[in-house]
Amino acid sequence: MSLDDDKEAFRNFSKAFLINFIFGLINVIFIVIMVAWAISATVMPMGGGEVEPTGPIYAFFIPSVILSLIGNIIFVYYLWHGFKIMETVMPNVSIGKIGALLLLFSSFSLPIIFPIFWGAPSPNFQSPVAYFGLFSIFGVVGLIGIILLVIAIYRIGEKYDNTTIKVGAIIYIFLSFIAAIVLYFGFKELENRKSGKNSVILPPQPPW
């Protein structure tokens, strides 16, 4: 793999994790808004009883899900191309491509909870157990995808002796939102190193 291929792979990875961070941040904002809306719209009946949230919370939920899907598609696109380049010199990171596809597949589980959120279950899933069962399957697929992705990213960090990438890969298992920005800086560091931006400039030779 040439130097330009190296740079292109690292550029794809840095773009992927920057997008992952940006869309993750947007979703966090949506979640905060939804929680604040739910708290402010909650009505406690005078005679006691259950608390009933009011207000169209789904008005925030739907854009959040749509943005998550869009973000995941773009995220996986750049990941795929990064691993496609890297596997020419590191065949053992090809599992990252599989992990990326599994993550993309699991992200399509989000629309499944639309009927639950609206309180109008689909005719095919009348039982909550069926919902949770299907959602669990997507969750397991997503977990496997994350594990494969983390292993591949960690191997890249090992090969290029980049501690930031190795730490980011480990954090990604637990806090993908935070790890994404760590990995972005890690791959940017590799990209700059390969492009010679971090090279030491030697003083000119004496004339004699």
Side-chain angles (χ1 to χ4, degrees):
M1 185 168 65
S2 67
L3 179 61
D4 288 338
D5 288 338
D6 262 357
K7 288 173 58 179
E8 184 62 26
F10 299 145
R11 190 177 297 115
N12 277 310
F13 285 129
S14 60
K15 286 179 181 179
F17 288 109
L18 179 61
I19 289 168
N20 195 204
F21 173 76
I22 291 173
F23 278 88
L25 180 61
I26 293 173
N27 280 325
V28 168
I29 294 172
F30 270 109
I31 290 172
V32 171
I33 292 174
M34 284 190 291
V35 171
W37 184 292
I39 293 174
S40 64
T42 297
V43 177
M44 177 68 75
M46 295 297 294
E50 296 183 355
V51 176
E52 297 182 2
T54 60
I57 302 177
Y58 59 84
F60 297 103
F61 181 77
I62 295 174
S64 175
V65 171
I66 293 174
L67 284 173
S68 292
L69 290 175
I70 294 173
N72 283 337
I73 291 172
I74 302 174
F75 172 57
V76 169
Y77 171 82
Y78 283 112
L79 275 183
W80 175 274
H81 284 279
F83 284 121
K84 186 176 181 180
I85 297 172
M86 287 301 302
E87 69 180 356
T88 59
V89 69
M90 294 181 64
N92 60 350
V93 301
S94 60
I95 60 173
K97 292 167 63 178
I98 301 174
L101 291 179
L102 292 179
L103 280 178
L104 180 61
F105 175 78
S106 66
S107 67
F108 285 96
S109 65
L110 294 174
I112 293 176
I113 59 178
F114 276 171
I116 299 177
F117 201 80
W118 294 335
S122 165
N124 297 324
F125 297 102
Q126 293 293 340
S127 171
V129 176
Y131 271 110
F132 285 112
L134 187 59
F135 204 67
S136 298
I137 293 173
F138 278 101
V140 171
V141 171
L143 179 61
I144 295 173
I146 289 176
I147 293 173
L148 294 178
L149 177 63
V150 164
I151 292 173
I153 293 296
Y154 190 88
R155 286 173 177 173
I156 294 174
E158 274 192 325
K159 176 176 175 60
Y160 292 94
D161 193 25
N162 188 289
T163 304
T164 305
I165 291 177
K166 289 190 286 187
V167 171
I170 295 172
I171 298 175
Y172 201 87
I173 300 175
F174 310 101
L175 296 169
S176 59
F177 170 65
I178 302 299
I181 195 64
V182 176
L183 289 168
Y184 165 75
F185 285 115
F187 281 108
K188 267 297 178 184
E189 182 182 334
L190 283 184
E191 182 185 341
N192 293 339
R193 183 197 303 175
K194 285 291 179 180
S195 62
K197 293 181 181 178
N198 294 336
S199 59
V200 178
I201 301 176
L202 298 175
Q205 293 291 332
W208 58 83

